Amino acid sequence: MVRGTNKGGWMTTRAIVWFRRDLRLNDNPAWASASEMADRVTALYVLDPTLLRAAGEFRRTQLIAHLHGLDDSLRQYGGRLMVRHGKAEVIVPEVAATCGATLVSANADVTPYARHRDSAIKDLLGPGFQRWWGNLVHPPGAVLTAKGRTSRVFTPFAAKWNRLPLPTWPENAPVAVDNDTGEGLPTLESGPFQEGGEEAAADRLLAFSRRADHYGETREFPALDSTSVLSADLRFGTLAPRTLVATIGTTTGGRAAFVRQLVWRDWYAHLLWELPSLANSSIRTELDRIRWENDAADIAAWKEGRTGYPFIDAGMRQLARTGWMHNRVRMAVASFLVKDLLVDWRVGEKWFRRLLVDADIAQNAGNWQWVAGTGPDAVPYFRVFNPVLQSEKFDPDGVYIRAFVPELAGIRAPWIHKPWTAPVWELAAGGVTLGTTYPHPIIDHRFARSRTVNAYAEATRVTND
Ligand SMILES: Cc1cc2nc3c(=O)[nH]c(=O)nc-3n(C[C@H](O)[C@H](O)[C@H](O)COP(=O)(O)OP(=O)(O)OC[C@H]3O[C@@H](n4cnc5c(N)ncnc54)[C@H](O)[C@@H]3O)c2cc1C
């Protein structure tokens, strides 16, 4: 591949911007650097059948909506998005050869699949394949301990992260964009979770920034809808995390609490970079000796939201219905699966990965390992969330439960959190017959807690022997 000079030079430079998880033109270093370097750009998206198969319906629909949005953004430059189907290892070099591109610019990703794919392409294209880190605030390797690795404890990582200035990268320059749409955009067959495209994402950020001051005290309550719901925008890259930090800032406690969540996001990404097996193996390897129950009927009840614990069922039904779930509820349902039902965390990780519109291997596996107590800086295994206390604390009036478990709509707090303790007249007045209209709890929490603590203790003991 011939390397071109930049715009001031004598050679016309053609570049490909290969969009992956950065479906935006604003604050996108891969796009900005290509627009600065090249006279003409091909904006390419490769629909990889392996990735499409892995994505559930929510993520596929949201992806298509964002591709349409990206195409709209590119029309402002007089061009279109080229969509090609197949393996990137074949298509990217082929498009580069056809259009005579001397530069392929992309944003790097931390997943093992993406790294493997990108290293194959690097082998083929050499220095003409340039990567940026526009989808994290700080790239892997920027926040290391004195021993040169990513801290396994979050607080020192966050302290170091906070001291770093925001990264800088090139600004967008005017550039011509090709009109070839390749195999064309897939049609949108159902409504996406959120309106597609970076403009809609920017509106969501703006709307959140007006209420960000209250994030700290309201974020734990799923019924309040007080979090940003920007996770899918970060997942698809319709927003850059750098933009979020710059827009929200840390001037109030609520804003600082929000930015801290983005530190968690970077942390899990850095950990996956360093530990590519994060999604498959427990970081605390001795805990891979746990003798899981993995009961098929329990797993089905959890997935379908009929465990008999209303807060858990509300969360699982929200996930199945919308493709998204509030963080507090994600923690509660994950803990219920692993620690009440004694099911291997990987079963839950896979289910989430399929259904979540924001599914992201680093965030998903990192959080599952955190909840399961198998990961870095995780909840100690003997700390088992009580699904009823979680419900009473974070959904005190049962508003969230009623939104997703309508058969309990007529039951008042406090009984809505544990309908099996409700007086018969409360159940009758609410039209609930336990075991018929709503299930009995599938497990007794106190029994489950001690079973789990024993199973974890035994796994740890085996290693110590
Ligand atoms: C078991 C489990 C699985 C999860 N799987 C995913 C996943 O696949 N993809 C994903 O993006 N998040 C995941 N999370 C993290 C978190 O639940 C979501 O990011 C959050 O609920 C998204 O809502 P929001 O955008 O309104 O968050 P906000 O509260 O507004 O936070 C802003 C952003 O910070 C980041 N963030 C917030 N909480 C976390 C966290 N605990 N870990 C890492 N980053 C965080 C997200 O990018 C989020 O969009 C998971 C959490 C748990 C407990």
Side-chain angles (χ1 to χ4, degrees):
M1 183 173 256
V2 187
R3 213 165 147 67
T5 58
N6 68 14
K7 276 180 171 163
W10 56 272
M11 193 193 288
T12 300
T13 309
R14 301 261 324 200
I16 292 175
V17 179
W18 174 21
F19 291 94
R20 294 109 64 96
R21 288 182 50 171
D22 53 343
L23 305 179
R24 64 180 188 277
L25 303 186
N26 184 42
D27 205 7
N28 179 342
W31 170 264
S33 67
S35 73
E36 211 177 45
M37 289 281 297
D39 298 295
R40 193 166 194 86
V41 161
T42 299
L44 174 67
Y45 188 86
V46 181
L47 279 168
D48 176 336
T50 309
L51 293 179
L52 273 184
R53 257 197 312 276
E57 195 188 317
F58 294 116
R59 214 154 65 249
R60 266 198 307 270
T61 307
Q62 190 64 59
L63 166 67
I64 295 169
H66 283 323
L67 291 177
H68 281 269
L70 179 59
D71 187 51
D72 289 341
S73 297
L74 288 160
R75 286 175 201 238
Q76 292 163 19
Y77 282 77
R80 300 292 303 273
L81 181 66
M82 175 190 278
V83 177
R84 295 284 310 269
H85 295 240
K87 300 302 282 177
E89 293 88 329
V90 177
I91 288 175
V92 174
E94 183 192 303
V95 175
T98 313
C99 67
T102 52
L103 170 72
V104 175
S105 186
N107 279 298
D109 193 359
V110 292
T111 68
Y113 185 87
R115 289 174 73 178
H116 186 259
R117 174 197 62 199
D118 286 1
S119 85
I121 289 180
K122 184 85 187 164
D123 288 346
L124 291 166
L125 302 185
F129 182 34
Q130 291 185 6
R131 277 162 294 171
W132 299 80
W133 283 103
N135 293 335
L136 294 173
V137 179
H138 295 297
V143 191
L144 297 177
T145 62
K147 287 190 178 148
R149 64 175 207 160
T150 301
S151 172
R152 301 299 189 257
V153 186
F154 175 71
T155 309
F157 178 89
K160 215 162 217 171
W161 189 100
N162 278 321
R163 286 196 295 272
L164 294 176
L166 282 181
T168 53
W169 50 58
E171 299 275 331
N172 287 356
V175 68
V177 181
D178 278 348
N179 255 311
D180 182 354
T181 55
E183 284 152 87
L185 282 167
T187 45
L188 201 54
E189 269 151 21
S190 51
F193 173 68
Q194 288 170 323
E195 188 185 343
E198 62 186 308
E199 264 183 41
D203 289 346
R204 287 189 278 276
L205 172 57
L206 192 66
F208 173 70
S209 89
R210 294 198 193 101
R211 52 192 164 83
D213 289 339
H214 305 290
Y215 177 81
E217 66 280 4
T218 55
R219 73 191 179 104
E220 293 288 8
F221 301 92
L224 296 183
D225 289 330
S226 64
T227 66
S228 69
V229 196
L230 293 174
S231 49
D233 286 313
L234 289 163
R235 180 331 156 189
F236 289 103
T238 38
L239 287 170
R242 186 179 88 149
T243 311
L244 264 62
V245 177
T247 307
I248 303 298
T250 52
T251 47
T252 64
R255 288 170 189 274
F258 177 80
V259 169
R260 195 169 172 83
Q261 297 311 111
L262 298 172
V263 187
W264 280 98
R265 183 176 180 275
D266 269 9
W267 188 51
Y268 284 129
H270 292 201
L271 285 170
L272 179 62
W273 180 261
E274 221 166 274
L275 304 164
S277 65
L278 185 74
N280 306 314
S281 319
S282 294
I283 292 181
R284 288 186 58 194
T285 45
E286 72 276 16
L287 293 180
D288 272 342
R289 295 170 188 245
I290 292 172
R291 276 194 286 215
W292 303 105
E293 290 286 326
N294 289 346
D295 180 90
D298 283 354
I299 295 170
W302 178 80
K303 287 181 175 172
E304 290 161 21
R306 43 179 187 77
T307 66
Y309 285 92
F311 193 60
I312 304 303
D313 292 343
M316 295 309 292
R317 294 190 201 180
Q318 179 180 27
L319 176 65
R321 196 195 299 170
T322 70
W324 189 85
M325 199 196 295
H326 183 278
N327 182 58
R328 169 54 54 184
V329 196
R330 290 187 203 202
M331 290 196 285
V333 302
S335 176
F336 188 81
L337 182 74
V338 176
K339 295 195 173 166
D340 280 72
L341 302 180
L342 201 56
V343 170
D344 190 333
W345 60 268
R346 282 158 281 229
V347 173
E349 193 273 338
K350 279 202 185 68
W351 185 247
F352 266 38
R353 204 195 300 176
R354 179 131 197 101
L355 286 189
L356 279 173
V357 68
D358 59 30
D360 170 306
I361 292 183
Q363 310 312 321
N364 196 35
N367 273 286
W368 271 96
Q369 291 227 36
W370 185 85
V371 174
T374 59
D377 209 2
V379 185
Y381 71 77
F382 46 82
R383 244 195 74 198
V384 178
F385 282 10
N386 178 319
V388 173
L389 294 184
Q390 289 287 309
S391 183
E392 288 169 345
K393 194 164 171 198
F394 298 111
D395 187 29
D397 302 322
V399 175
Y400 174 73
I401 293 173
R402 282 190 199 91
F404 293 100
V405 189
E407 64 268 38
L408 296 178
I411 306 291
R412 294 170 298 170
W415 296 297
I416 191 163
H417 305 291
K418 39 181 176 179
W420 64 94
T421 66
V424 258
W425 46 266
E426 177 71 23
L427 293 175
V432 172
T433 311
L434 284 181
T436 307
T437 61
Y438 184 73
H440 290 288
I442 58 170
I443 197 151
D444 172 68
H445 176 67
R446 281 182 55 196
F447 157 78
R449 187 186 181 284
S450 80
R451 179 177 69 171
T452 291
V453 170
N454 289 339
Y456 273 68
E458 195 185 306
T460 331
R461 223 178 2 254
V462 170
T463 322
N464 293 340
D465 286 346

